[in-house]
């Protein structure tokens, strides 16, 4: 909802993908997947902090999922 109300500026005006806040948020949140949105937009101010929080949260989530998957695999052996 934050990025829907506060869209970041384009890095290069007139170029890049169409602005879709949900896809931009997913691009920030999923560290391994590149949807092309994160590199096309330049957040500033509070939006920059929100983007950073989503990136950190995404890496934390990926680490937790990986550790959980490893625990399941090791438990079966």
């Amino acid at each position: 909802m934050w990025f829907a109300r506060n869209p970041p500026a384009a890095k290069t005006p007139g170029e890049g993908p169409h602005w879709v806040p949900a896809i931009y948020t997913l691009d920030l949140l999923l560290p391994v997947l590149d949807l092309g949105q994160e590199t096309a937009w330049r957040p500033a101010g509070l939006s920059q902090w929100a983007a950073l929080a989503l990136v950190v949260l995404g890496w934390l989530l990926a680490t937790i999922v990986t550790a959980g998957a490893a625990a399941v695999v090791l438990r079966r052996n």
Side-chain angles (χ1 to χ4, degrees), residues 67-77:
V72 169
V73 169
L74 291 176
R75 183 177 293 170
R76 290 187 182 179
N77 291 334

Side-chain angles (χ1 to χ4, degrees), residues 1-73:
M1 288 182 63
W2 174 265
F3 292 114
R5 293 186 177 141
N6 304 297
K11 283 189 178 178
T12 52
E15 294 181 14
H18 179 70
W19 171 248
V20 181
I23 295 176
Y24 180 71
T25 302
L26 280 176
D27 202 10
L28 291 171
L29 192 58
L30 302 173
V32 180
L33 195 61
D34 182 18
L35 301 174
Q37 291 279 325
E38 183 179 3
T39 57
W41 307 100
R42 179 183 25 218
L46 289 177
S47 291
Q48 189 173 12
W49 288 104
L52 178 63
L54 285 173
V55 169
V56 169
L57 185 63
W59 279 106
L60 183 63
L61 180 64
T63 303
I64 290 170
V65 168
T66 303
V72 169
V73 169

